[in-house]
Amino acid sequence: MIRWFIVSQSLSLMASSVAFPFYLLFIKNIGSNFSSFGIAYGLFTLSSALVHRLAGRAVDAFGSKLLLGFHAVGMSLIFLFIPNIISLHEVYFFQFLLGLLGSLQKNGEKSYIAKMSEGSNQGRIIGNYHFWTSIYSALAVMGCGMLIDYFTIHVIFYICSLFYFCSGLTLLCMKESNIKKSLKRRTGSSIWMKSGLD
């Protein structure tokens, strides 16, 4: 179970890791002064902060999987429109939306990891989760950096959209009913003890 969650969130984090450095290059052509960058990132953080408490309640009410799925689908759609941004006001609008969806991802991810890693092996499971997602993110950034040399920067956003879509698709394939079985097997499996994967 945790293996598919790692796959799903690796795809999502790969997309965000790829988008961040190249998104900076993209919006630099739209607004290059420091105040516009400050407002853009401030809006991202502000919108994220405004939704965090509601997102936390939504996790309790609807579950982590639904929020993570909504985040993945929403980000997939947004990244299809980013290459068409032509004004600074549109950058601000998209930054606001990205912050909203980012808060859903953070709350959903942390809640899901906490649920999957209850017990004495919690630190090991969380460590393995962050190890694999970070490795995949680093490889994606380097790979997409090379792709830009052969294609336009717009292609990166379409690739990220595909990553997010695949992340949501993987979440849909996960079965919530397997969580308890996964937790029961974790202490009895030598493979689990060594890798932290189900």
Side-chain angles (χ1 to χ4, degrees):
M1 184 74 179
I2 191 79
R3 178 184 291 120
W4 289 110
F5 181 66
I6 288 176
V7 170
S8 169
Q9 294 311 289
S10 290
L11 289 166
S12 180
L13 291 172
M14 281 164 63
S16 62
S17 298
V18 165
F20 178 72
F22 302 115
Y23 183 62
L24 286 177
L25 293 174
F26 181 76
I27 65 175
K28 185 177 180 181
N29 296 324
I30 299 173
S32 58
N33 58 63
F34 290 115
S35 61
S36 62
F37 277 109
I39 293 172
Y41 281 100
L43 282 172
F44 175 86
T45 306
L46 179 63
S47 63
S48 182
L50 292 174
V51 175
H52 268 308
R53 298 175 79 177
L54 292 174
R57 293 176 185 175
V59 168
D60 293 335
F62 305 109
S64 307
K65 183 179 174 180
L66 182 63
L67 260 69
L68 289 170
F70 186 80
H71 162 264
V73 172
M75 293 295 283
S76 178
L77 292 174
I78 284 177
F79 272 69
L80 291 176
F81 289 100
I82 285 179
N84 299 314
I85 294 176
I86 57 174
S87 72
L88 196 56
H89 291 92
E90 289 176 336
V91 170
Y92 293 157
F93 175 71
F94 276 94
Q95 282 291 97
F96 189 83
L97 290 181
L98 292 172
L100 293 178
L101 290 172
S103 67
L104 297 183
Q105 193 276 334
K106 288 179 182 177
N107 280 275
E109 178 191 44
K110 288 177 173 60
S111 174
Y112 207 99
I113 293 175
K115 181 166 57 176
M116 289 295 297
S117 60
E118 294 175 352
S120 59
N121 292 329
Q122 188 176 52
R124 180 176 296 179
I125 295 168
I126 293 172
N128 280 319
Y129 169 80
H130 286 298
F131 170 78
W132 287 111
T133 53
S134 298
I135 288 289
Y136 292 132
S137 296
L139 293 175
V141 172
M142 291 185 284
C144 286
M146 295 176 185
L147 284 177
I148 290 182
D149 291 334
Y150 300 98
F151 302 100
T152 65
I153 195 170
H154 297 75
V155 173
I156 296 301
F157 297 111
Y158 297 134
I159 292 173
C160 290
S161 176
L162 180 62
F163 282 165
Y164 278 120
F165 179 78
C166 292
S167 172
L169 198 61
T170 305
L171 282 170
L172 285 176
C173 294
M174 290 171 51
K175 295 180 180 179
E176 291 285 338
S177 59
N178 289 338
I179 293 178
K180 290 183 179 179
K181 294 178 182 178
S182 179
L183 292 174
K184 287 180 180 178
R185 288 199 305 267
R186 119 177 145 249
T187 53
S189 170
S190 59
I191 296 177
W192 176 279
M193 294 294 286
K194 291 179 182 177
S195 66
L197 302 177
D198 183 5

